[in-house]
Amino acid sequence: MEKTKKILYSAVQPTNNLTIGNYLGAIKNWVALQDEYDCFYAIANMHAITVRQNPAELRQKTLALLALYIACGVDPEKCTLYLQSHVPCHAELAWVLNTFTYVGEMERMTQFKDKSSKHADNINMGLMDYPVLMAADILLYQADVVPVGIDQRQHLEITRDIANRFNNIYSPTFTVPEAVYQKVGAKINDLQEPLKKMSKSGENPNGAIFMTDDRDTILRKFKRAVTDSEMLVKYDPENKPGVSNLLSIYSVFSEKTIQQAEADFEGKGYGDFKLAVGEVVADKLAPIQAEQARLLADKKYLDSVLLKGGEAAYKAARRTLSKVYKKIGFYQL
Ligand code: TRP
């Protein structure tokens, strides 16, 4: 039964606060996929340290993220939920894959170039090697599919290149993964600059709703959201990006169609409209936040999840790594 399911791999870094855009794009997706696939979900703390982190904060954010994912419905009984640093095979395979990856390829990576200019004082080897570690993550589990945001496209392509390169030099060893890019549909934009994607690192903190925002903050941010001077609640992304973005948010959070959402605000002003959008978002987040807080107070449970996940992940990863070591000629006992 288990064996017939395809293997899915995804990971998220325990840095920054997640926005409702991340919730709709990534977290809900993880939940939706956990029945159909044999899922490995990792918290990528080894990737996180390619940018300097505060140790206490990194530890705290790791547990907070784990608790958030579980609170949102990621079920540790259905999928393998684990912490990357708990499975040493990631670092081990990354080392081997380094010898199948060219410096020039890594220098050309868009994200490496972006991050190098943002962190010019710390262009460390790990930052450059980031895509190889990511390839190791995915290939260790023989993943068939990897759901990621479009910003990860180059990383998935290099993963496929590295897998093919290794398979061609030796014999088929790694499954060559397919990337599944998130459907647009529920794309959420910045509340202050509605032509830009809502991002955790946007310039104006009022532009993004974070998963940790309390009710008052949520209502205030929506109240200040940029609209237009027309006083008409109508979906028209080209001419009315602010209002359309708010309608999209309302629609996904209330599980209504855009037409139903428009109908809810016919003849109403922007003040009522923004308040209603804020309320539906706040109502949805409140129980998630409460559950996250409850889980965070139960460290024993969270540790047990990581222990069980780490053991299961290790078993799968070790199998692949042993194959690799055999093929490249590492003498094994
Ligand atoms: N680099 C990814 C991100 O920042 C996180 C990540 C690490 C990942 N390893 C992965 C995603 C493996 C998919 C598969 O979003």
Side-chain angles (χ1 to χ4, degrees):
M1 205 41 205
E2 287 284 297
K3 289 260 149 42
T4 61
K5 283 188 184 174
K6 284 192 171 181
I7 298 171
L8 181 145
Y9 191 92
S10 198
V12 62
Q13 293 192 59
T15 49
N16 293 320
N17 293 322
L18 296 182
T19 69
I20 54 169
N22 299 121
Y23 169 66
L24 296 169
I27 310 183
K28 267 184 112 177
N29 213 16
W30 280 24
V31 177
L33 295 163
Q34 63 187 354
D35 291 312
E36 194 183 334
Y37 294 93
D38 189 1
C39 295
F40 289 88
Y41 291 141
I43 298 179
N45 59 344
M46 292 166 69
H47 280 100
I49 61 162
T50 56
V51 170
R52 204 62 71 220
Q53 303 291 335
N54 172 303
E57 264 176 35
L58 180 59
R59 238 186 312 272
Q60 195 277 330
K61 282 177 170 177
T62 299
L63 284 186
L65 189 71
L66 177 69
L68 178 64
Y69 271 74
I70 299 173
C72 289
V74 174
D75 184 350
E77 300 295 323
K78 288 185 184 163
C79 54
T80 304
L81 190 55
Y82 75 101
L83 185 59
Q84 190 183 27
S85 65
H86 287 172
V87 182
C89 310
H90 291 256
E92 294 182 70
L93 183 62
W95 179 255
V96 175
L97 298 182
N98 274 332
T99 66
F100 295 87
T101 309
Y102 299 101
V103 172
E105 290 177 308
M106 295 298 101
E107 282 172 335
R108 285 194 296 274
M109 287 281 158
T110 318
Q111 201 166 84
F112 172 65
K113 288 193 277 189
D114 283 354
K115 288 192 180 171
S116 300
S117 64
K118 256 194 225 153
H119 305 276
D121 56 334
N122 184 19
I123 306 176
N124 61 74
M125 286 301 295
L127 193 62
M128 191 171 178
D129 209 24
Y130 184 112
V132 180
L133 180 59
M134 198 164 144
D137 294 346
I138 297 165
L139 300 180
L140 273 176
Y141 299 93
Q142 306 289 348
D144 298 289
V145 287
V146 183
V148 279
I150 200 77
D151 62 317
Q152 298 295 315
R153 166 174 253 149
Q154 258 192 337
H155 292 160
L156 261 294
E157 276 164 13
I158 199 74
T159 298
R160 291 169 54 88
D161 289 348
I162 294 171
N164 279 319
R165 209 170 281 166
F166 192 98
N167 288 348
N168 290 337
I169 295 174
Y170 301 94
S171 53
T173 307
F174 298 120
T175 302
V176 181
E178 295 292 335
V180 179
Y181 300 107
Q182 272 156 228
K183 289 195 196 79
V184 239
K187 210 178 114 231
I188 299 294
N189 286 344
D190 191 283
L191 302 184
Q192 294 296 319
E193 295 173 84
L195 292 171
K196 281 196 195 156
K197 192 177 141 195
M198 184 182 285
S199 124
K200 49 191 171 187
S201 49
E203 271 162 36
N204 190 334
N206 285 322
I209 304 289
F210 295 101
M211 292 301 284
T212 46
D213 283 349
D214 62 24
R215 190 175 188 88
D216 286 347
T217 308
I218 295 171
L219 296 182
R220 178 174 49 77
K221 286 180 180 174
F222 277 107
K223 194 172 171 186
R224 291 190 189 167
V226 167
T227 47
D228 51 53
S229 54
E230 218 180 32
M231 295 306 273
L232 176 66
V233 182
K234 186 167 157 270
Y235 190 76
D236 178 358
E238 208 161 300
N239 299 306
K240 297 168 73 66
V243 167
S244 303
N245 186 40
L246 294 176
L247 271 171
S248 298
I249 295 173
Y250 180 83
S251 141
V252 287
F253 275 89
S254 63
E255 287 169 31
K256 292 181 181 180
T257 64
I258 293 284
Q259 287 91 324
Q260 283 172 313
E262 281 175 339
D264 283 356
F265 301 105
E266 211 183 307
K268 296 219 174 111
Y270 284 169
D272 289 346
F273 171 48
K274 290 180 184 180
L275 180 64
V277 184
E279 280 177 338
V280 28
V281 173
D283 288 348
K284 187 86 175 190
L285 295 195
I288 293 175
Q289 291 169 346
E291 179 62 2
Q292 184 192 22
R294 189 191 68 78
L295 289 165
L296 273 173
D298 191 353
K299 216 175 137 277
K300 239 171 128 179
Y301 169 72
L302 293 178
D303 284 355
S304 76
V305 168
L306 290 179
L307 186 65
K308 181 172 154 278
E311 281 172 352
Y314 180 82
K315 253 180 95 182
R318 194 79 228 172
R319 208 176 303 135
T320 300
L321 192 65
S322 294
K323 271 193 210 163
V324 168
Y325 281 176
K326 195 168 162 196
K327 296 209 181 184
I328 60 176
F330 281 4
Y331 180 73
Q332 292 183 88
L333 298 174

